[in-house]
């Protein structure tokens, strides 16, 4: 599993300007919480939001969660101060910075260099703070390979659907849902392109939000489309979406058990005791090295999600 196996099935967005929501988020079962300084915060509220974010990172209980902050994008006057204030104020309690609207590798390189300087100045481990790159327009998609490769700090490639739809003049006002009258999935190419870049450079791929927050069935449908491709998780904008994301982006118990059985069986049959065979039958299924690789992915995601085995491989008599 990419990026040291840290699960990001559910990535909860929390406005940095809402002290109430910042407090509530700590008790929710999201894998990651990102504290937003960008679109969810009005321009005049950004300085106060930075202070809120620093305080809650330092004083809050984020046990078991990835802690991220989304700064403003590099075309705005706020990015530098976002990065400096947050990292100088709470760098020891921060896992990642999310950079929105990334259009080229130079955006990531700037953030990498800035983080390195701050980490050295503060005595923090250099490279300890990761980068999450959000792709939200045509230029970002065209340059996504270079973006994914721009820094070893990059942990995730994220799809930002609303801004992306606007950037290409997509004719829909419903973010994250299929478009009636279009014979297919208009996001399929975008998602696959992001996924290929992420996997090429061993990053996680995260799907963007579904804005109809009370339509959990709609959220599930949207999430399944990216989960089946291989995405690692999805943004959630409301507590009611968290459980669905955690379920959909983890393997089922049946698939997890099957993956663990394949790993055990393959290890046995390729050993001297098992006959040093490279391809064997497990029940009615032939398994080989390719089967092992698939099983490794499913098993790693299941373990990261906290699943426990309910079956055991029995060696033949």
């Amino acid at each position: 599993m990419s990026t040291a196996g840290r699960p990001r099935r559910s990535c909860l967005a929390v406005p940095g300007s809402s002290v109430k929501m910042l407090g509530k988020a700590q008790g929710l079962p999201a894998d990651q919480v990102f504290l937003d300084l960008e679109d969810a915060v009005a321009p005049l509220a950004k300085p106060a939001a930075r202070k809120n974010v620093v305080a809650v990172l330092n004083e809050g209980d984020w046990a078991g969660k990835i802690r991220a902050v989304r700064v403003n994008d590099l075309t705005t006057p706020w990015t530098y101060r976002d990065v400096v204030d947050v990292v100088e104020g709470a760098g020891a309690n921060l896992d990642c910075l999310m950079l929105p609207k990334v259009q080229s590798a130079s955006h990531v390189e700037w953030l990498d260099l800035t983080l390195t300087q701050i980490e050295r100045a503060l005595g923090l481990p250099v490279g300890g703070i990761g980068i999450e790159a959000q792709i939200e327009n045509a230029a970002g998609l065209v340059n996504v390979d270079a973006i994914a490769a721009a820094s070893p700090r990059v942990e995730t490639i994220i799809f930002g659907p609303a801004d992306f739809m606007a950037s290409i003049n997509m004719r829909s006002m419903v973010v994250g849902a299929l478009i009636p009258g279009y014979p297919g999935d208009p996001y399929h190419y975008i998602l696959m392109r992001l996924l290929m870049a992420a996997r090429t450079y061993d990053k996680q791929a995260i799907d963007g939000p579904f804005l109809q927050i009370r339509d959990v069935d709609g959220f599930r449908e949207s999430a399944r489309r990216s989960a089946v491709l291989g995405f690692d998780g999805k943004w959630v904008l409301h507590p009611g979406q968290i459980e669905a994301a955690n379920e959909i982006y983890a393997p089922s118990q049946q698939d997890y058990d099957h993956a663990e059985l394949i790993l055990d069986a393959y290890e046995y049959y390729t050993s001297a005791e098992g006959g040093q065979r490279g391809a064997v039958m497990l029940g009615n299924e032939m398994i080989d090295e390719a089967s092992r690789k698939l099983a490794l992915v499913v098993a790693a995601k299941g373990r990261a999600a906290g699943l426990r085995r309910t079956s055991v491989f029995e060696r033949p008599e």
Side-chain angles (χ1 to χ4, degrees):
M1 191 174 176
S2 301
T3 320
R6 298 203 288 187
R8 284 181 168 92
R9 299 166 300 170
S10 51
C11 303
L12 177 64
V14 185
S17 54
S18 174
V19 174
K20 178 181 178 181
M21 295 179 72
L22 290 170
K24 183 178 180 180
Q26 297 170 50
L28 297 174
D31 287 340
Q32 172 174 303
V33 175
F34 74 87
L35 315 180
D36 195 13
L37 296 175
E38 199 215 11
D39 287 348
V41 179
L44 294 178
K46 291 184 188 293
R50 292 187 196 114
K51 294 179 181 178
N52 293 341
V53 164
V54 168
V56 79
L57 284 172
N58 289 333
E59 300 166 10
D61 181 2
W62 302 101
K65 294 178 174 59
I66 298 172
R67 303 156 297 179
V69 173
R70 181 167 71 160
V71 299
N72 286 274
D73 80 86
L74 280 174
T75 67
T76 73
W78 304 298
T79 320
Y80 169 77
R81 184 50 57 191
D82 288 344
V83 175
V84 171
D85 286 3
V86 169
V87 179
E88 287 190 346
N93 297 309
L94 178 67
D95 295 307
C96 294
L97 284 182
M98 184 185 300
L99 187 63
K101 300 177 179 64
V102 178
Q103 299 185 53
S104 71
S106 63
H107 289 192
V108 174
E109 291 164 355
W110 174 87
L111 183 55
D112 184 331
L113 180 59
T114 304
L115 285 171
T116 297
Q117 292 176 336
I118 300 173
E119 287 167 340
R120 284 177 175 160
L122 297 178
L124 295 172
V126 173
I129 298 173
I131 294 174
E132 301 194 277
Q134 190 174 17
I135 306 301
E136 301 187 75
N137 56 34
L141 187 67
V142 169
N143 295 319
V144 68
D145 291 303
I147 290 167
S151 166
R153 292 183 188 266
V154 176
E155 296 191 13
T156 68
I157 302 296
I158 305 167
F159 179 39
D163 280 284
F164 197 98
M165 292 164 68
S167 83
I168 63 171
N169 297 333
M170 186 175 282
R171 297 178 63 180
S172 175
M173 291 295 292
V174 182
V175 176
L178 297 181
I179 300 174
Y182 182 80
D185 182 350
Y187 306 103
H188 182 77
Y189 168 75
I190 302 166
L191 293 173
M192 286 298 292
R193 186 69 190 84
L194 297 178
L195 184 64
M196 293 305 102
R199 294 298 184 252
T200 296
Y201 296 99
D202 194 30
K203 316 300 181 184
Q204 290 186 333
I206 306 298
D207 195 7
F210 182 78
L211 299 189
Q212 310 300 313
I213 61 173
R214 303 200 183 281
D215 182 4
V216 179
D217 289 339
F219 175 86
R220 285 180 171 275
E221 180 183 348
S222 176
R224 287 191 187 101
R225 290 199 301 273
S226 61
V228 75
L229 297 179
F231 271 63
D232 298 287
K234 186 174 179 66
W235 277 17
V236 294
L237 303 182
H238 186 273
Q241 296 176 333
I242 295 175
E243 181 181 352
N246 287 345
E247 172 194 329
I248 290 168
Y249 290 97
S252 67
Q253 183 67 51
Q254 180 179 359
D255 286 346
Y256 171 66
D257 283 337
H258 187 54
E260 294 284 17
L261 285 175
I262 288 175
L263 294 177
D264 286 350
Y266 189 78
E267 181 181 14
Y268 170 74
Y269 285 116
T270 56
S271 69
E273 181 185 359
Q276 302 180 33
R277 290 176 282 175
V280 296
M281 297 299 294
L282 179 62
N284 295 322
E285 176 185 13
M286 189 196 81
I287 62 170
D288 57 11
E289 174 61 14
S291 306
R292 185 190 70 86
K293 291 176 181 175
L294 284 170
L296 279 173
V297 172
V298 175
K301 287 191 173 185
R303 294 167 192 166
L307 296 181
R308 297 291 181 267
R309 296 184 64 167
T310 61
S311 60
V312 178
F313 172 68
E314 296 182 2
R315 297 184 177 188
E317 295 290 338

